[in-house]
Amino acid sequence: TSVVEINMKNFSRWLDGVYDANLLSGTTAVSTNIGGPDGYILYVSDRRGDRVKGETIGSTVYNMTNGLVDNEDIYGWNGILDPGEDVIDAGADGSGNPKQGTLQRDTAELPDPTPMPSGTPTTTFAGRTARAVAVAAYQTPYFRRAVRLVNGDTLTTSMSGTNKLSQTRGITVSTENMLYVWGNYNTTGVNNVPTGGASLAADYSGPQVPASLVSDALFPLSRTWFDASSAMFPDDLSKRIADLTLDATGNVATVPMGSETSVRTAVIAGNNMSALAGSPDAGNANGESRLSGGIHNFPRFSERWSSRWNFIGSLVPLYYSTQALGPYNADSTIYGAPVRNWAFDDSFKDPSRLPPGTPMFQYIEPTGFTQVMY
């Protein structure tokens, strides 16, 4: 996957004016020109490799990129629109979408999955390198883009002054692409492993800001994620251990207190459409594709988690993913589930502490009528 990487600490420093007098001196990019009294929304759209196609809106055809990975053939890769593969909706204007009910299969935009080169020993350096090269060749030319947030432990600098990030002025990162979060995010003050449940918020004692992540799909990565491991050892979970800690002899040890990965944010992201039939399937036992992984796999993990992934926030699966189309697969070579230490963030009950851009819905239910005579 080609990645746009954002250092969130540097981003917060920019908003807080740290670079105004040096790096940005004399430019129009100083913080005083990007005032956000209600907080900030950072939006990323990377459509490189997304081919121009005719899209019908109403009765008019427009040539455009649509931000969708146009290969829905995810169950069986058989060239047939199997139940559960059609992620195209009917169209927001109610006029229907001519692509609904038909299989989108543009292999120039995203090829069908193919096995890794066989017959090459992966225990040697040459073999592992060959596999890494194969992975790179598969990903690079096609429309498969992602955003990755790094160094996001602390999203604030001073928390005081006009338009600076604070406990009532937050940050939302939004992208139509896949979104990876590497390590801790918005968890200043986590000095001990959160104990879970209602006490989880008390462990996050630092100056967290209202934060949300909006994306096609969310992929959490532990603190010790290493990019090359996924390419060199795609089928060896022992080489992708989350929050890896070694003892004095070099063996994997228990993750110490305070070294687990923790995330505090609201999440709005896509989920995969479940397979609606047992065959073709995605290689799962007992037809597990029809579960789409469940809400416990709504964050998509990529490592062997023998430790906990601590999360406080809110999880909202609002739509179907149109870029992260890979179906749920319970194959143990893909990931090992973490201990899910999750809790709702009670601060979201305070309207002043909602992340910027939070969708608002209002519903009025009539419960009775009274006739008034004049």
Side-chain angles (χ1 to χ4, degrees), residues 46-63:
D46 187 351
R47 296 189 179 185
R48 290 172 294 172
D50 184 11
R51 301 204 303 166
V52 175
K53 302 180 180 66
E55 298 290 332
T56 302
I57 300 178
S59 59
T60 306
V61 178
Y62 298 90
N63 289 326

Side-chain angles (χ1 to χ4, degrees), residues 131-371:
R131 297 193 74 154
V133 170
V135 170
Y138 176 82
Q139 298 291 355
T140 305
Y142 305 108
F143 178 37
R144 190 166 178 78
R145 308 293 170 178
V147 176
R148 183 163 68 183
L149 308 183
V150 302
N151 200 15
D153 303 54
T154 302
L155 298 182
T156 61
T157 301
S158 63
M159 295 194 72
S160 62
T162 304
N163 296 331
K164 294 188 177 182
L165 293 174
S166 68
Q167 290 189 340
T168 58
R169 189 179 300 113
I171 175 70
T172 291
V173 178
S174 176
T175 177
E176 62 191 53
N177 304 111
M178 300 175 288
L179 182 65
Y180 290 79
V181 178
W182 191 351
N184 284 358
Y185 192 81
N186 195 28
T187 50
T188 306
V190 179
N191 297 316
N192 298 303
V193 175
T195 52
S199 63
L200 190 60
D203 292 298
Y204 289 7
S205 58
Q208 290 82 26
V209 303
S212 68
L213 303 174
V214 184
S215 63
D216 182 74
L218 178 70
F219 297 81
L221 301 174
S222 77
R223 292 178 173 189
T224 60
W225 171 265
F226 186 58
D227 284 339
S229 297
S230 63
M232 302 285 274
F233 307 100
D235 53 1
D236 188 349
L237 270 179
S238 67
K239 301 298 192 297
R240 287 180 282 123
I241 299 177
D243 290 334
L244 176 63
T245 301
L246 302 178
D247 60 21
T249 62
N251 295 318
V252 176
T254 303
V255 177
M257 292 281 285
S259 295
E260 295 179 348
T261 299
S262 300
V263 171
R264 182 174 189 168
T265 183
V267 175
I268 298 176
N271 202 5
N272 284 335
M273 183 181 289
S274 299
L276 303 182
S279 178
D281 198 19
N284 299 306
N286 304 317
E288 287 193 36
S289 293
R290 285 178 281 182
L291 298 176
S292 193
I295 192 64
H296 53 293
N297 286 302
F298 179 51
R300 307 187 192 188
F301 299 102
S302 304
E303 300 163 89
R304 194 188 85 186
W305 290 80
S306 57
S307 58
R308 297 187 295 185
W309 185 63
N310 303 297
F311 174 79
I312 179 170
S314 176
L315 297 174
V316 183
L318 195 59
Y319 37 78
Y320 290 128
S321 298
T322 58
Q323 294 187 19
L325 292 179
Y328 171 71
N329 194 322
D331 190 331
S332 60
T333 64
I334 295 176
Y335 83 107
V339 176
R340 299 172 176 90
N341 190 29
W342 297 0
F344 175 72
D345 191 341
D346 280 343
S347 70
F348 291 154
K349 295 178 181 179
D350 181 352
S352 69
R353 298 212 57 195
L354 288 175
T358 298
M360 298 292 182
F361 299 92
Q362 187 175 60
Y363 174 67
I364 300 176
E365 181 179 1
T367 57
F369 298 89
T370 300
Q371 184 177 13

Side-chain angles (χ1 to χ4, degrees), residues 5-63:
E5 192 165 84
I6 301 172
N7 186 314
M8 291 303 296
K9 184 58 180 176
N10 285 341
F11 185 75
S12 69
R13 287 171 177 152
W14 174 43
L15 299 179
D16 275 358
V18 172
Y19 303 122
D20 287 357
N22 42 63
L23 183 64
L24 301 177
S25 178
T27 74
T28 59
V30 293
S31 63
T32 52
N33 288 341
I34 54 169
D38 299 320
Y40 298 88
I41 298 176
L42 170 61
Y43 173 64
V44 181
S45 174
D46 187 351
R47 296 189 179 185
R48 290 172 294 172
D50 184 11
R51 301 204 303 166
V52 175
K53 302 180 180 66
E55 298 290 332
T56 302
I57 300 178
S59 59
T60 306
V61 178
Y62 298 90
N63 289 326

